[in-house]
Amino acid sequence: MKKAILYINQFFGQIGGEEKADFEPELRDGAHASAAIFNTLAKDVQITHTMICGDNFMASHPEEALERCLSLLEGKEFDMFIAGPAFNAGRYGNACGLISKAVQEKFNVPAITSMNVENPGVELFRTDMYIFKGANRATGMRQDMAAMAAFADKIARGERLLPAAMEGYFPRNIRHEVFLEDIGLEPVMACDRAVDMLLAKLTGEEYLTELPIPAQDLIPIAAAVEDITKVKVALVTSGGIVPSGNPDRIESCSATRWGKYDISGLDRLPAPEFKTIHAGYDPEQADKNPNVVEPLDAVRALQKEGKLGDVDDYFYTTVGTGTTQGEAARMGREIAAELHSRNVQAVILTAT
């Protein structure tokens, strides 16, 4: 019987919800909380310890969190590391990816996790570990655990692992020479497979390419501003600068909200009245001087020099780290509609 350690966040560890998201790393003996489901499904692997860490603690203190998590594993015997499943929870997916990658590198054991395709952790970590295609909410817990358990059993038994599409995990951009008969398929020469795909495409039939090209949105480049002194400019940032207290409760990671704040009477963003709630970078300098992220001071200086025209009375902000493409696109459309209604013709967009 192979041994494994499973990582879960504060919610699935039955510590608490958002009010316990700063829960510090802890290692418990046995399969605790949702980890027990894995042990009912796996035949050749058993969870011997459960690691629990709050999503905010991992997102806000990644270096400290990883160091502490890894130190808790020192001296423990385990053959593989399981994390999640993380569903479509961005912070949780990021945490599962961070700890899984760190454990693989330090202890040289395989790591397995599960995330929904919309989880930003997929694109961040899919080339680093096995990430199974999971449900978008916790109602899929058992089926996601079953997929990870079955794969862990295969590794434990030393069986040959099949390509990503056949096993059910996201492709890792690793290409191996494979003999089709070894994976239960009839051998067909590459030239014949290519012709078969071409004929299927020409006749409108379904086919599966052997080298998929990721689909990307192509955004047309906006026309250049002819005279920046004659247009209205707005400040927009994904750097998480907000009024102290974060009145719109914008998430520090995997954001689903954005804010709009009045700067009409300000020459600069004063601290501590403004600060960052972004969990993807060290906040020290931004908290000391929010203008290093949202450069209102520089914009006002350009206005006084006559090098810049009108500036919108509001600045617009959200957090970029871990935010899904879908959420980012939605917030972008909403902010753009607001800017259009305020007759803004140009944007100064700052990140981190």
Side-chain angles (χ1 to χ4, degrees), residues 51-88:
M51 178 174 288
I52 306 171
C53 181
D55 284 337
N56 279 358
F57 189 84
M58 181 66 78
S60 301
H61 315 279
E63 294 182 0
E64 178 187 353
L66 290 177
E67 182 179 354
R68 291 174 60 176
C69 287
L70 294 176
S71 67
L72 291 172
L73 298 179
E74 291 286 357
K76 300 292 187 293
E77 294 184 10
F78 61 103
D79 303 290
M80 62 187 73
F81 189 80
I82 315 295
F87 313 111
N88 194 20

Side-chain angles (χ1 to χ4, degrees), residues 152-181:
D153 280 342
K154 289 189 72 172
I155 294 176
R157 292 191 294 264
E159 295 181 9
R160 179 166 185 162
L161 304 181
L162 302 178
M166 299 180 73
E167 294 287 6
Y169 59 86
F170 290 98
R172 298 182 298 158
N173 294 346
I174 299 174
R175 294 179 65 82
H176 296 286
E177 182 179 66
V178 176
F179 293 97
L180 295 180
E181 59 265 33

Side-chain angles (χ1 to χ4, degrees), residues 7 51 58 62-71 73-74 78 81 83 94-111 125 128-129:
Y7 174 94
M51 178 174 288
M58 181 66 78
E63 294 182 0
E64 178 187 353
L66 290 177
E67 182 179 354
R68 291 174 60 176
C69 287
L70 294 176
S71 67
L73 298 179
E74 291 286 357
F78 61 103
F81 189 80
N94 181 65
C96 288
L98 285 173
I99 185 60
S100 296
K101 182 178 180 181
V103 169
Q104 278 191 156
E105 293 174 350
K106 183 174 178 63
F107 297 99
N108 194 31
V109 297
F125 299 105
D128 299 308
M129 66 203 66

